[in-house]
Amino acid sequence: MANPIIPGISQAEQDLLYSKLNAYNQGRASFKEAGTYLVALPRPGHPQYSLWIYSPLSERHSIFYIHDLSTDIHESLRIASTLCYYSPRCLLVVDYNAKRMQSNGDDLISFGKYHGHFLHEILRIDPAYLTWIAFKFMPRIPKQERFMQIAKIYHSVYIDMQQRQARQHVANRFLGKEGDKIENLTLTVISVRLEDDPYKTHVKGATPYFYVRQILKLKDASGNLITFRVTARTASRESCQVPSAEHAYRTGETVLIASARVARNYMAGNNKYTRLTYVKLMQPQ
């Protein structure tokens, strides 16, 4: 991909800028594999540089707007490279391409409290809702399947930006004091342990009724460790087996929590854990 001519700077300044950008991109993944971030040049009526993402996940219209940067190329690249520094994706400077970059409405929300807003707006103001769309929204028609796919692309941008914030904070801390209310958590399951609830499990006649608990260990984007229990509401005929009517959590699964209370904080080895109670999972809106 040829480097475009950057307006307003000398050839020597442009050569130095592209040399620094090449050094920044060393060791990062191929755009065919991971996609890439794009800094688009200003265009008529739009004097600012802008940040975009190209993703190979999208079969058509594969470039999506993130936000505007600055009218200065150096400041624009400083902002973009800082936001995306811990991402495996490269950062490229490109000409604005109206055919490939103009939205065709696939990234417009058609339901809920953000009806009529674009996904890039929700990335900025309510990333938890964006995460719900990416992983919990149930598409009913092919157009909605593409919409969910685009939400996953924007969610990957959010994760890249969270990586930067995570490096700026000390990982593995307690989320709060006992009794504190915690809201809007995006967690990843790192282990699941099953056990029978001894207080609810019983035998009726000759038939055992097991109420299975899932003991979840999770982490947030900063590496903080969280645990909580999910007890099945229906009985299983087998010990330590989640009944088919209940959701069985899996390692690597994303869990969205609307609110919870801190039950206690404790240490296990050198790790700090926050145990949650009164967990309310995020519901469709």
Side-chain angles (χ1 to χ4, degrees):
M1 183 182 296
N3 293 324
I5 297 174
I6 300 174
I9 64 174
S10 68
Q11 183 64 49
E13 193 176 4
Q14 178 174 277
D15 291 344
L16 179 60
L17 184 149
Y18 280 127
S19 176
K20 290 181 177 179
L21 192 58
N22 287 337
Y24 172 91
N25 287 329
Q26 287 296 316
R28 297 182 187 269
S30 162
F31 74 93
K32 294 180 180 180
E33 174 185 322
T36 185
Y37 287 107
L38 306 171
V39 172
L41 269 57
R43 55 194 185 276
H46 199 102
Q48 292 178 303
Y49 291 83
S50 50
L51 182 63
W52 303 70
I53 183 172
Y54 159 77
S55 174
L57 296 177
S58 181
E59 296 178 358
R60 66 181 192 279
H61 185 67
S62 54
I63 300 177
F64 302 96
Y65 172 78
I66 299 175
H67 58 68
D68 287 339
L69 296 168
S70 168
T71 56
D72 178 79
I73 180 59
H74 298 286
E75 179 66 8
S76 294
L77 285 176
R78 185 194 68 78
I79 296 171
S81 61
T82 299
L83 287 173
C84 310
Y85 185 79
Y86 293 104
S87 170
R89 298 178 172 120
C90 290
L91 179 64
L92 303 176
V93 176
V94 298
D95 286 311
Y96 176 78
N97 185 319
K99 182 178 180 180
R100 299 189 66 192
M101 291 179 163
Q102 283 185 341
S103 170
N104 58 11
D106 287 353
D107 53 345
L108 193 65
I109 300 175
S110 61
F111 56 85
K113 62 181 180 180
Y114 293 119
H115 182 276
H117 288 268
F118 289 96
L119 287 171
H120 68 80
E121 296 174 313
I122 309 309
L123 169 66
R124 184 175 66 255
I125 64 173
D126 194 349
Y129 190 79
L130 176 69
T131 303
W132 174 80
I133 295 174
F135 296 101
K136 300 298 182 181
F137 176 69
M138 299 298 292
R140 295 182 176 86
I141 57 176
K143 184 177 181 180
Q144 291 180 338
E145 291 177 0
R146 173 165 169 76
F147 172 75
M148 189 176 181
Q149 183 184 62
I150 296 172
K152 288 182 178 179
I153 294 170
Y154 276 112
H155 177 263
S156 73
V157 175
Y158 171 65
I159 294 301
D160 282 347
M161 294 179 178
Q162 286 293 101
Q163 291 294 328
R164 177 180 64 89
Q165 295 181 17
R167 299 298 181 97
Q168 294 175 341
H169 297 85
V170 178
N172 196 206
R173 60 180 177 84
F174 297 131
L175 295 189
K177 296 179 294 185
E178 185 174 334
D180 283 354
K181 184 177 182 180
I182 308 295
E183 296 182 309
N184 297 326
L185 292 177
T186 300
L187 307 176
T188 302
V189 178
I190 56 178
S191 71
V192 182
R193 180 167 59 86
L194 302 179
E195 66 179 24
D196 299 326
D197 185 340
Y199 299 102
K200 296 181 67 176
T201 297
H202 61 277
V203 177
K204 182 181 289 187
T207 304
Y209 291 84
F210 298 96
Y211 284 83
V212 179
R213 291 194 299 212
Q214 300 180 74
I215 315 300
L216 305 183
K217 183 186 295 183
L218 315 96
K219 65 179 180 179
D220 65 10
S222 297
N224 302 312
L225 299 173
I226 298 96
T227 66
F228 65 88
R229 298 176 178 180
V230 179
T231 301
R233 291 170 293 181
T234 55
S236 172
R237 298 296 188 271
E238 299 288 338
S239 175
C240 292
Q241 180 174 312
V242 178
S244 59
E246 305 281 342
H247 178 72
Y249 288 89
R250 306 177 306 278
T251 301
E253 180 177 352
T254 299
V255 178
L256 310 178
I257 294 179
S259 66
R261 293 280 179 185
V262 175
R264 63 182 287 253
N265 293 311
Y266 64 94
M267 297 286 296
N270 294 323
N271 293 320
K272 297 178 180 178
Y273 286 87
T274 297
R275 185 163 69 82
L276 300 180
T277 188
Y278 299 111
V279 175
K280 293 184 179 179
L281 300 177
M282 190 172 293
Q283 300 298 321
Q285 301 182 45

